[in-house]
Amino acid sequence: MKLPGEADGCIAGAGQFVPQWAYELAMAAGPTTPPATTAPPTTPPATTPPPTTPPPGGGCTATIAPNAWAGGFTAEVRVTNRGAALTGWTLTLTVADGVRLTNGWNGEWSQSGNRLTVRNVSWNGTVPTGGTVAVGFQGTFAGATLPAFGGVTLDGTACTT
C-alpha cells in the first residue's frame, strides 16, 4: 500500500513521489457526492426563556483570611462585587490600634490611622457584577494575638463579611 502519487518503479524510481500521478489518481476517483441536505425547518426553533434568577441586589461580600505569627501577619482580602460592573475600585478596611501595614500586593496600599486603603492597579481595575477582587497585605501588630479586621467597604459601600 502506497500513498497516492508514490511510484513503485514503473513511472519513476520506487518510493518517489510523482505529482502528475497523484493528480491523475484524484481525477480518476471522480466527483464526490455532497452530503444530503435537510430542508430548513418550517417553524422557528423554540427560544429559551430568560432566566428567572433576579439580578444581584448590590453591595459586596468580603472575606479576610489572616495568617499570623508572633508580631506579624499576612492577610488575603477577597471581595465579590454584587453591584454594577466596576472600571476602577477602592477598598477600605478597619484595623485595630497597633496594627501597621508593611506592604501589600494586587493594589496600591496606604494606611491612615486605623484605616487601610487599597486602590486597583492598571491590570485589575475592571470587576464585573459577580466578579471577585483578591488583594493581600503584610503587617505587624502589638500584643499577643492578631486583632480582628473589620469594616470592609467597596467604593464606600459596606460589604457583608
Side-chain angles (χ1 to χ4, degrees), residues 74-127:
T74 61
E76 179 186 52
V77 182
R78 296 180 66 82
V79 177
T80 301
N81 177 24
R82 301 289 181 208
L86 304 173
T87 56
W89 50 264
T90 301
L91 296 176
T92 62
L93 64 142
T94 305
V95 296
D97 290 336
V99 173
R100 296 290 170 253
L101 171 71
T102 56
N103 63 53
W105 51 92
N106 292 347
E108 294 179 8
W109 287 86
S110 62
Q111 181 172 7
S112 177
N114 290 29
R115 175 176 282 207
L116 299 182
T117 301
V118 59
R119 290 179 175 79
N120 67 278
V121 287
S122 62
W123 48 268
N124 67 355
T126 302
V127 183

Short mmCIF file of all heavy atoms in Angstrom, two decimals, residues 74-127:
data_model
loop_
_atom_site.label_atom_id
_atom_site.label_comp_id
_atom_site.label_asym_id
_atom_site.label_seq_id
_atom_site.Cartn_x
_atom_site.Cartn_y
_atom_site.Cartn_z
N THR A 74 0.19 38.01 57.49
CA THR A 74 -0.27 38.31 56.13
C THR A 74 -1.77 38.10 56.14
O THR A 74 -2.31 37.38 57.00
CB THR A 74 0.37 37.38 55.06
OG1 THR A 74 0.00 36.04 55.35
CG2 THR A 74 1.87 37.54 55.01
N ALA A 75 -2.45 38.73 55.22
CA ALA A 75 -3.90 38.54 55.11
C ALA A 75 -4.32 38.68 53.66
O ALA A 75 -3.80 39.54 52.94
CB ALA A 75 -4.64 39.56 55.97
N GLU A 76 -5.22 37.81 53.24
CA GLU A 76 -5.82 37.92 51.91
C GLU A 76 -7.23 38.45 52.10
O GLU A 76 -7.97 37.97 52.96
CB GLU A 76 -5.88 36.57 51.20
CG GLU A 76 -6.53 36.69 49.83
CD GLU A 76 -6.75 35.36 49.14
OE1 GLU A 76 -7.34 34.46 49.77
OE2 GLU A 76 -6.34 35.23 47.99
N VAL A 77 -7.59 39.44 51.29
CA VAL A 77 -8.93 40.01 51.31
C VAL A 77 -9.56 39.70 49.95
O VAL A 77 -9.00 40.05 48.91
CB VAL A 77 -8.89 41.54 51.54
CG1 VAL A 77 -10.31 42.11 51.60
CG2 VAL A 77 -8.12 41.88 52.80
N ARG A 78 -10.71 39.04 49.98
CA ARG A 78 -11.45 38.72 48.75
C ARG A 78 -12.81 39.41 48.83
O ARG A 78 -13.56 39.16 49.76
CB ARG A 78 -11.61 37.22 48.57
CG ARG A 78 -10.28 36.51 48.37
CD ARG A 78 -10.44 35.01 48.20
NE ARG A 78 -11.14 34.66 46.98
CZ ARG A 78 -10.58 34.58 45.77
NH1 ARG A 78 -9.31 34.85 45.64
NH2 ARG A 78 -11.28 34.25 44.72
N VAL A 79 -13.09 40.24 47.85
CA VAL A 79 -14.34 40.98 47.82
C VAL A 79 -15.06 40.66 46.52
O VAL A 79 -14.49 40.78 45.44
CB VAL A 79 -14.10 42.50 47.94
CG1 VAL A 79 -15.41 43.27 47.83
CG2 VAL A 79 -13.39 42.83 49.25
N THR A 80 -16.32 40.23 46.64
CA THR A 80 -17.14 39.93 45.47
C THR A 80 -18.09 41.09 45.23
O THR A 80 -18.83 41.50 46.14
CB THR A 80 -17.92 38.62 45.66
OG1 THR A 80 -16.98 37.56 45.88
CG2 THR A 80 -18.76 38.29 44.44
N ASN A 81 -18.07 41.61 44.02
CA ASN A 81 -18.90 42.74 43.63
C ASN A 81 -20.33 42.27 43.37
O ASN A 81 -20.56 41.45 42.49
CB ASN A 81 -18.31 43.40 42.37
CG ASN A 81 -19.15 44.53 41.86
OD1 ASN A 81 -19.91 45.15 42.61
ND2 ASN A 81 -19.01 44.82 40.58
N ARG A 82 -21.28 42.77 44.12
CA ARG A 82 -22.70 42.43 43.92
C ARG A 82 -23.47 43.57 43.27
O ARG A 82 -24.68 43.49 43.13
CB ARG A 82 -23.34 42.06 45.26
CG ARG A 82 -22.68 40.90 45.97
CD ARG A 82 -22.96 39.62 45.25
NE ARG A 82 -22.35 38.50 45.97
CZ ARG A 82 -21.95 37.41 45.38
NH1 ARG A 82 -22.09 37.26 44.09
NH2 ARG A 82 -21.40 36.44 46.07
N GLY A 83 -22.76 44.63 42.91
CA GLY A 83 -23.39 45.78 42.28
C GLY A 83 -23.06 45.82 40.80
O GLY A 83 -22.70 44.82 40.19
N ALA A 84 -23.16 47.01 40.24
CA ALA A 84 -22.86 47.22 38.82
C ALA A 84 -21.38 46.97 38.55
O ALA A 84 -20.55 47.07 39.46
CB ALA A 84 -23.22 48.65 38.42
N ALA A 85 -21.06 46.64 37.32
CA ALA A 85 -19.67 46.41 36.93
C ALA A 85 -18.82 47.64 37.25
O ALA A 85 -19.30 48.77 37.14
CB ALA A 85 -19.59 46.08 35.44
N LEU A 86 -17.58 47.40 37.63
CA LEU A 86 -16.67 48.49 38.01
C LEU A 86 -15.55 48.62 37.00
O LEU A 86 -15.06 47.62 36.47
CB LEU A 86 -16.05 48.20 39.38
CG LEU A 86 -17.01 47.97 40.54
CD1 LEU A 86 -16.25 47.54 41.79
CD2 LEU A 86 -17.82 49.23 40.81
N THR A 87 -15.11 49.85 36.75
CA THR A 87 -13.94 50.08 35.90
C THR A 87 -12.81 50.69 36.71
O THR A 87 -11.82 51.12 36.15
CB THR A 87 -14.29 50.99 34.71
OG1 THR A 87 -14.83 52.20 35.21
CG2 THR A 87 -15.28 50.31 33.78
N GLY A 88 -12.93 50.72 37.99
CA GLY A 88 -11.93 51.18 38.93
C GLY A 88 -12.54 51.00 40.31
O GLY A 88 -13.77 51.06 40.45
N TRP A 89 -11.74 50.73 41.32
CA TRP A 89 -12.31 50.46 42.63
C TRP A 89 -11.36 50.89 43.73
O TRP A 89 -10.16 51.04 43.53
CB TRP A 89 -12.67 48.98 42.80
CG TRP A 89 -11.57 48.04 42.44
CD1 TRP A 89 -11.42 47.40 41.23
CD2 TRP A 89 -10.46 47.63 43.25
NE1 TRP A 89 -10.28 46.63 41.25
CE2 TRP A 89 -9.67 46.75 42.48
CE3 TRP A 89 -10.04 47.92 44.54
CZ2 TRP A 89 -8.51 46.17 42.94
CZ3 TRP A 89 -8.87 47.34 45.02
CH2 TRP A 89 -8.13 46.48 44.23
N THR A 90 -11.94 51.08 44.92
CA THR A 90 -11.20 51.37 46.14
C THR A 90 -11.79 50.53 47.26
O THR A 90 -13.01 50.55 47.46
CB THR A 90 -11.29 52.87 46.52
OG1 THR A 90 -10.77 53.65 45.45
CG2 THR A 90 -10.52 53.16 47.80
N LEU A 91 -10.94 49.78 47.95
CA LEU A 91 -11.36 49.00 49.12
C LEU A 91 -10.79 49.67 50.36
O LEU A 91 -9.68 50.19 50.33
CB LEU A 91 -10.80 47.58 49.07
CG LEU A 91 -11.23 46.65 47.96
CD1 LEU A 91 -10.47 45.33 48.07
CD2 LEU A 91 -12.71 46.41 48.02
N THR A 92 -11.56 49.65 51.43
CA THR A 92 -11.04 50.09 52.72
C THR A 92 -11.37 49.02 53.76
O THR A 92 -12.34 48.28 53.60
CB THR A 92 -11.63 51.44 53.18
OG1 THR A 92 -13.04 51.31 53.35
CG2 THR A 92 -11.34 52.53 52.17
N LEU A 93 -10.57 48.95 54.80
CA LEU A 93 -10.88 48.09 55.94
C LEU A 93 -10.30 48.72 57.19
O LEU A 93 -9.33 49.47 57.14
CB LEU A 93 -10.41 46.65 55.76
CG LEU A 93 -8.94 46.37 55.64
CD1 LEU A 93 -8.63 45.06 56.37
CD2 LEU A 93 -8.57 46.20 54.18
N THR A 94 -10.92 48.41 58.30
CA THR A 94 -10.53 48.96 59.58
C THR A 94 -9.66 47.96 60.32
O THR A 94 -9.95 46.76 60.32
CB THR A 94 -11.79 49.28 60.42
OG1 THR A 94 -12.62 50.14 59.65
CG2 THR A 94 -11.42 49.95 61.72
N VAL A 95 -8.58 48.47 60.92
CA VAL A 95 -7.69 47.64 61.72
C VAL A 95 -7.63 48.21 63.14
O VAL A 95 -7.95 49.37 63.38
CB VAL A 95 -6.26 47.57 61.11
CG1 VAL A 95 -6.30 46.90 59.75
CG2 VAL A 95 -5.63 48.95 61.01
N ALA A 96 -7.22 47.38 64.07
CA ALA A 96 -7.13 47.79 65.47
C ALA A 96 -5.89 48.65 65.71
O ALA A 96 -4.96 48.67 64.89
CB ALA A 96 -7.09 46.55 66.37
N ASP A 97 -5.88 49.35 66.83
CA ASP A 97 -4.69 50.09 67.25
C ASP A 97 -3.50 49.14 67.31
O ASP A 97 -3.63 47.99 67.73
CB ASP A 97 -4.90 50.72 68.63
CG ASP A 97 -5.91 51.86 68.60
OD1 ASP A 97 -6.08 52.47 67.53
OD2 ASP A 97 -6.50 52.14 69.66
N GLY A 98 -2.35 49.60 66.89
CA GLY A 98 -1.15 48.79 66.94
C GLY A 98 -0.90 47.95 65.70
O GLY A 98 0.15 47.33 65.58
N VAL A 99 -1.86 47.88 64.76
CA VAL A 99 -1.66 47.15 63.50
C VAL A 99 -1.05 48.10 62.49
O VAL A 99 -1.56 49.21 62.28
CB VAL A 99 -2.99 46.56 62.97
CG1 VAL A 99 -2.79 45.94 61.59
CG2 VAL A 99 -3.55 45.53 63.94
N ARG A 100 0.04 47.70 61.87
CA ARG A 100 0.74 48.54 60.90
C ARG A 100 0.94 47.78 59.60
O ARG A 100 1.44 46.65 59.60
CB ARG A 100 2.10 48.99 61.44
CG ARG A 100 2.01 49.87 62.65
CD ARG A 100 1.44 51.24 62.28
NE ARG A 100 1.13 51.99 63.48
CZ ARG A 100 -0.11 52.23 63.92
NH1 ARG A 100 -1.15 51.76 63.27
NH2 ARG A 100 -0.32 52.93 65.01
N LEU A 101 0.60 48.41 58.51
CA LEU A 101 0.80 47.88 57.16
C LEU A 101 2.28 48.00 56.82
O LEU A 101 2.88 49.06 56.98
CB LEU A 101 -0.03 48.70 56.16
CG LEU A 101 0.19 48.45 54.68
CD1 LEU A 101 -0.37 47.09 54.28
CD2 LEU A 101 -0.48 49.55 53.87
N THR A 102 2.88 46.90 56.36
CA THR A 102 4.28 46.97 55.90
C THR A 102 4.37 46.90 54.37
O THR A 102 5.23 47.53 53.78
CB THR A 102 5.15 45.87 56.52
OG1 THR A 102 4.58 44.60 56.25
CG2 THR A 102 5.27 46.07 58.03
N ASN A 103 3.51 46.13 53.73
CA ASN A 103 3.44 46.11 52.27
C ASN A 103 2.17 45.40 51.84
O ASN A 103 1.51 44.74 52.64
CB ASN A 103 4.68 45.47 51.63
CG ASN A 103 4.86 44.01 52.00
OD1 ASN A 103 3.95 43.21 51.83
ND2 ASN A 103 6.02 43.66 52.50
N GLY A 104 1.83 45.53 50.57
CA GLY A 104 0.63 44.88 50.03
C GLY A 104 0.85 44.50 48.59
O GLY A 104 1.83 44.89 47.97
N TRP A 105 -0.08 43.71 48.06
CA TRP A 105 0.02 43.28 46.67
C TRP A 105 -1.35 43.32 46.02
O TRP A 105 -2.38 43.37 46.68
CB TRP A 105 0.65 41.90 46.54
CG TRP A 105 0.06 40.82 47.40
CD1 TRP A 105 -0.94 39.95 47.07
CD2 TRP A 105 0.43 40.51 48.75
NE1 TRP A 105 -1.22 39.12 48.11
CE2 TRP A 105 -0.39 39.43 49.17
CE3 TRP A 105 1.36 41.02 49.64
CZ2 TRP A 105 -0.30 38.87 50.43
CZ3 TRP A 105 1.45 40.45 50.91
CH2 TRP A 105 0.63 39.38 51.28
N ASN A 106 -1.34 43.33 44.69
CA ASN A 106 -2.53 43.41 43.83
C ASN A 106 -3.29 44.72 44.01
O ASN A 106 -4.50 44.77 43.77
CB ASN A 106 -3.47 42.23 44.04
CG ASN A 106 -2.88 40.93 43.55
OD1 ASN A 106 -1.88 40.93 42.85
ND2 ASN A 106 -3.48 39.83 43.93
N GLY A 107 -2.60 45.77 44.42
CA GLY A 107 -3.22 47.09 44.55
C GLY A 107 -2.23 48.09 45.08
O GLY A 107 -1.08 47.76 45.41
N GLU A 108 -2.65 49.35 45.15
CA GLU A 108 -1.84 50.42 45.73
C GLU A 108 -2.33 50.64 47.15
O GLU A 108 -3.44 51.14 47.35
CB GLU A 108 -1.98 51.68 44.89
CG GLU A 108 -1.38 51.55 43.51
CD GLU A 108 -1.54 52.80 42.67
OE1 GLU A 108 -1.98 53.84 43.19
OE2 GLU A 108 -1.22 52.73 41.48
N TRP A 109 -1.53 50.26 48.13
CA TRP A 109 -1.91 50.26 49.54
C TRP A 109 -1.44 51.51 50.26
O TRP A 109 -0.37 52.03 49.98
CB TRP A 109 -1.31 49.04 50.24
CG TRP A 109 -1.98 47.76 49.88
CD1 TRP A 109 -1.70 46.97 48.81
CD2 TRP A 109 -3.03 47.12 50.60
NE1 TRP A 109 -2.51 45.86 48.82
CE2 TRP A 109 -3.34 45.94 49.92
CE3 TRP A 109 -3.72 47.44 51.76
CZ2 TRP A 109 -4.32 45.07 50.34
CZ3 TRP A 109 -4.70 46.57 52.20
CH2 TRP A 109 -5.00 45.40 51.49
N SER A 110 -2.25 51.95 51.25
CA SER A 110 -1.84 53.03 52.14
C SER A 110 -2.56 52.83 53.47
O SER A 110 -3.55 52.09 53.57
CB SER A 110 -2.18 54.39 51.54
OG SER A 110 -3.58 54.54 51.36
N GLN A 111 -2.05 53.49 54.50
CA GLN A 111 -2.66 53.42 55.82
C GLN A 111 -2.75 54.83 56.40
O GLN A 111 -1.80 55.60 56.32
CB GLN A 111 -1.87 52.52 56.77
CG GLN A 111 -2.50 52.41 58.15
CD GLN A 111 -1.82 51.37 59.03
OE1 GLN A 111 -0.79 50.80 58.68
NE2 GLN A 111 -2.43 51.08 60.17
N SER A 112 -3.89 55.13 57.00
CA SER A 112 -4.08 56.37 57.73
C SER A 112 -4.77 56.00 59.04
O SER A 112 -5.95 55.64 59.04
CB SER A 112 -4.93 57.35 56.92
OG SER A 112 -5.16 58.53 57.67
N GLY A 113 -4.02 56.03 60.13
CA GLY A 113 -4.57 55.63 61.42
C GLY A 113 -5.01 54.19 61.39
O GLY A 113 -4.23 53.30 61.10
N ASN A 114 -6.29 53.95 61.68
CA ASN A 114 -6.83 52.59 61.72
C ASN A 114 -7.50 52.19 60.40
O ASN A 114 -8.23 51.20 60.36
CB ASN A 114 -7.83 52.46 62.86
CG ASN A 114 -7.16 52.51 64.20
OD1 ASN A 114 -6.12 53.13 64.37
ND2 ASN A 114 -7.74 51.84 65.18
N ARG A 115 -7.28 52.94 59.36
CA ARG A 115 -7.90 52.62 58.07
C ARG A 115 -6.85 52.27 57.04
O ARG A 115 -5.92 53.03 56.79
CB ARG A 115 -8.71 53.80 57.56
CG ARG A 115 -9.28 53.55 56.16
CD ARG A 115 -10.15 54.66 55.74
NE ARG A 115 -11.41 54.47 56.43
CZ ARG A 115 -12.56 54.88 55.98
NH1 ARG A 115 -12.64 55.53 54.85
NH2 ARG A 115 -13.66 54.66 56.66
N LEU A 116 -7.02 51.07 56.43
CA LEU A 116 -6.20 50.65 55.30
C LEU A 116 -7.01 50.91 54.03
O LEU A 116 -8.21 50.62 53.99
CB LEU A 116 -5.85 49.17 55.37
CG LEU A 116 -5.04 48.70 56.58
CD1 LEU A 116 -4.76 47.20 56.45
CD2 LEU A 116 -3.76 49.47 56.72
N THR A 117 -6.34 51.43 53.02
CA THR A 117 -7.00 51.70 51.74
C THR A 117 -6.18 51.03 50.65
O THR A 117 -4.95 51.11 50.65
CB THR A 117 -7.08 53.21 51.47
OG1 THR A 117 -7.81 53.84 52.53
CG2 THR A 117 -7.78 53.50 50.14
N VAL A 118 -6.87 50.38 49.73
CA VAL A 118 -6.20 49.80 48.56
C VAL A 118 -7.00 50.18 47.33
O VAL A 118 -8.23 50.08 47.32
CB VAL A 118 -6.01 48.26 48.69
CG1 VAL A 118 -7.32 47.53 48.85
CG2 VAL A 118 -5.26 47.70 47.50
N ARG A 119 -6.28 50.66 46.32
CA ARG A 119 -6.91 51.04 45.04
C ARG A 119 -6.39 50.09 43.96
O ARG A 119 -5.27 49.59 44.05
CB ARG A 119 -6.55 52.48 44.69
CG ARG A 119 -7.24 53.48 45.61
CD ARG A 119 -6.86 54.92 45.25
NE ARG A 119 -7.61 55.85 46.06
CZ ARG A 119 -7.33 56.16 47.32
NH1 ARG A 119 -6.31 55.58 47.94
NH2 ARG A 119 -8.07 57.03 47.98
N ASN A 120 -7.22 49.90 42.96
CA ASN A 120 -6.83 49.00 41.87
C ASN A 120 -5.55 49.47 41.21
O ASN A 120 -5.19 50.64 41.28
CB ASN A 120 -7.94 48.87 40.84
CG ASN A 120 -8.19 50.16 40.08
OD1 ASN A 120 -8.88 51.03 40.57
ND2 ASN A 120 -7.61 50.29 38.90
N VAL A 121 -4.87 48.52 40.56
CA VAL A 121 -3.76 48.83 39.68
C VAL A 121 -4.25 48.66 38.24
O VAL A 121 -5.39 48.23 38.01
CB VAL A 121 -2.53 47.94 39.99
CG1 VAL A 121 -1.87 48.38 41.28
CG2 VAL A 121 -2.88 46.48 40.06
N SER A 122 -3.42 49.00 37.28
CA SER A 122 -3.88 49.04 35.88
C SER A 122 -4.49 47.74 35.39
O SER A 122 -5.44 47.74 34.62
CB SER A 122 -2.72 49.43 34.97
OG SER A 122 -1.69 48.47 35.03
N TRP A 123 -4.00 46.61 35.84
CA TRP A 123 -4.43 45.33 35.28
C TRP A 123 -5.61 44.68 36.02
O TRP A 123 -6.08 43.63 35.60
CB TRP A 123 -3.26 44.35 35.22
CG TRP A 123 -2.48 44.26 36.48
CD1 TRP A 123 -1.39 45.00 36.81
CD2 TRP A 123 -2.75 43.43 37.60
NE1 TRP A 123 -0.96 44.67 38.06
CE2 TRP A 123 -1.78 43.70 38.57
CE3 TRP A 123 -3.71 42.48 37.89
CZ2 TRP A 123 -1.74 43.07 39.80
CZ3 TRP A 123 -3.66 41.84 39.11
CH2 TRP A 123 -2.69 42.14 40.05
N ASN A 124 -6.10 45.24 37.13
CA ASN A 124 -7.22 44.59 37.83
C ASN A 124 -8.35 45.55 38.18
O ASN A 124 -9.11 45.31 39.09
CB ASN A 124 -6.73 43.85 39.08
CG ASN A 124 -6.22 44.79 40.16
OD1 ASN A 124 -6.12 45.99 39.99
ND2 ASN A 124 -5.87 44.21 41.30
N GLY A 125 -8.46 46.65 37.44
CA GLY A 125 -9.48 47.64 37.74
C GLY A 125 -10.88 47.26 37.32
O GLY A 125 -11.86 47.74 37.88
N THR A 126 -11.04 46.41 36.32
CA THR A 126 -12.35 46.03 35.84
C THR A 126 -12.86 44.82 36.62
O THR A 126 -12.20 43.79 36.67
CB THR A 126 -12.29 45.68 34.34
OG1 THR A 126 -11.80 46.82 33.64
CG2 THR A 126 -13.67 45.31 33.80
N VAL A 127 -14.03 44.99 37.25
CA VAL A 127 -14.64 43.91 38.02
C VAL A 127 -16.11 43.81 37.61
O VAL A 127 -16.89 44.72 37.89
CB VAL A 127 -14.54 44.16 39.55
CG1 VAL A 127 -15.10 42.97 40.32
CG2 VAL A 127 -13.10 44.43 39.96
#
